[in-house]
């Protein structure tokens, strides 16, 4: 028998992925769909993020459509960064269109900070929205981890390990550029795990002369090879290599890991996180909670107001950064 809550509950919701794809997005989509059906809600998959929302492109997703996708990289819905979505008139017209065409009453968006800004606008303009953090950058301060970060760090560590083999063989310095525009977490966590000799991230100051001196000092102690990991928010690998070569006259090589960091099957940690957060987003919509985001804090799934989440500031990883420095010499 249909209870009162079911009678008033949303019956049709949409799901989209937006911004840079991240491993685990598919696991999150699967959780959204399967939990929605559990609550007798239909789910429409919106193609290519907010671009698809503007164009009113959506397809009904069945339980079968999301079968076996948990460990697939990328996103079955496609993704995009969409400039036109920043225009309020475009958004309002799209909300009306999508409500009329598909009867959508709520939306789950999976992505990073740009995606969440879109979610905030949609929520204010009449489309109840819940955000799920999906980005390799780990740059959303309200949650301990974002979906995709753990996989990206593991991918970087595997690559650093391979580069380590060759720099050790040649007695060279390897400078490796990793992703992370404003947030150095990929560089910091992968650097600690792989025993990098230097980690350069936007959150902490560093000095080129001091790095050059320490490379030369290490050499005198019998340690010729070294790995320097640089977050893209600091600069390119090449922008570090040139002055360091000049200062040390050592054999220094640059590697840019690039989009390899965004691909691949999610780790168990990411796939599990994605299932928990995707499922929770739908639980919230089913209970009438909206305009919020979900995250993980001390391994507990938590809900935050979308405005508060976007304003949150994460304390710096000062202790970890110092430890990395201590361990490197
Ligand atoms: O936000 C994720 C991210 O991978 C960043 O680390 C990187 O700066 C950016 O996306 C690259 O975006 P694109 O693939 O659009 O060039």
């Amino acid at each position: 028998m249909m209870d009162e809550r079911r009678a008033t509950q949303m019956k049709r919701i949409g799901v989209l992925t937006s911004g840079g794809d991240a491993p685990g997005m598919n696991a999150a989509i699967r959780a959204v769909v399967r939990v929605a059906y559990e609550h007798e809600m239909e789910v429409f998959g919106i193609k290519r993020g907010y671009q698809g929302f503007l164009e009113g492109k959506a397809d009904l997703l069945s339980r079968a459509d999301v079968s076996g996708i948990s460990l697939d990289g990328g996103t079955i819905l496609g993704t995009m960064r969409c400039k036109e979505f920043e225009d309020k008139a475009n958004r309002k017209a799209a909300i009306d269109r999508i409500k009329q065409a598909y009867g959508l009453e709520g939306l789950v968006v999976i992505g990073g900070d740009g995606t969440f800004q879109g979610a905030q606008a949609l929520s204010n303009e009449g489309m109840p929205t819940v955000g799920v953090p999906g980005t390799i950058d780990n740059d959303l301060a309200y949650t301990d981890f974002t979906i995709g970060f753990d996989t990206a760090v593991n991918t970087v560590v595997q690559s650093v390990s391979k580069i380590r083999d060759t720099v050790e063989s040649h007695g060279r310095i390897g400078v490796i550029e990793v992703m992370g525009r404003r947030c150095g977490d990929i560089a910091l966590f992968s650097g600690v795990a792989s025993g990098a000799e230097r980690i350069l991230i936007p959150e902490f100051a560093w000095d080129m002369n001091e790095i050059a001196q320490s490379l030369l000092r290490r050499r005198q102690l019998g340690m010729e090879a070294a790995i320097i990991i640089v977050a893209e928010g600091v600069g390119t690998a090449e922008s570090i290599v040139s002055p360091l070569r000049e200062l040390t006259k050592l054999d220094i090589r640059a590697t840019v890991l690039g989009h390899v960091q965004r691909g691949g099957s999610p780790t168990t940690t990411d796939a599990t996180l994605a299932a928990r957060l995707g499922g929770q987003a739908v639980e919230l919509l089913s209970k009438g909670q909206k305009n919020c985001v979900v995250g993980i804090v001390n391994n507990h799934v938590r809900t935050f107001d979308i405005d508060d989440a976007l304003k949150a500031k994460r304390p710096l990883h000062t202790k970890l950064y110092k430890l990395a420095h201590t361990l490197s010499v």
Side-chain angles (χ1 to χ4, degrees), residues 226-265:
I227 294 280
I228 300 175
I229 298 189
V230 52
E232 66 174 324
V234 165
T236 62
E238 216 34 78
S239 74
I240 306 297
V241 167
S242 309
L244 265 190
R245 255 193 214 128
E246 198 61 33
L247 288 165
T248 62
K249 310 292 177 222
L250 296 176
D251 188 359
I252 310 181
R253 303 297 177 97
T255 307
V256 181
L257 292 186
H259 287 92
V260 72
Q261 295 162 91
R262 285 234 297 259
S265 192

Side-chain angles (χ1 to χ4, degrees), residues 20 81 135-137 179-181 186 232 259 262:
R81 302 184 204 278
T135 165
I136 64 164
D137 285 5
M179 282 185 169
R181 280 173 293 190
I186 295 178
E232 66 174 324
H259 287 92
R262 285 234 297 259

Side-chain angles (χ1 to χ4, degrees), residues 10-74:
M10 289 178 187
K11 293 185 179 57
R12 284 181 160 197
I13 60 170
V15 59
L16 62 80
T17 48
S18 163
D21 60 300
M25 279 183 163
N26 281 327
I29 295 166
R30 175 174 172 272
V32 167
V33 171
R34 295 270 167 97
V35 173
Y37 278 101
E38 183 67 21
H39 287 283
E40 294 172 24
M41 297 157 112
E42 284 183 322
V43 186
F44 283 75
I46 298 166
K47 295 284 165 64
R48 294 222 177 276
Y50 291 131
Q51 182 66 38
F53 192 92
L54 288 184
E55 291 167 3
K57 277 191 192 155
D59 294 308
L60 186 62
L61 290 173
S62 69
R63 287 183 177 91
D65 288 329
V66 293
S67 183
I69 65 169
S70 276
L71 296 178
D72 292 346

Side-chain angles (χ1 to χ4, degrees), residues 2 12 17 25 33 54 68 76 78 80 87 103 133 182-183 213 253 256 264 278 311 313 317 322 327:
M2 197 176 257
R12 284 181 160 197
T17 48
M25 279 183 163
V33 171
L54 288 184
I76 58 161
M80 217 173 142
D87 184 277
R182 285 175 299 274
C183 177
Q213 290 317 309
R253 303 297 177 97
V256 181
K311 274 189 246 148
K313 294 242 177 305
H317 291 299
K322 282 193 179 149
L327 297 182

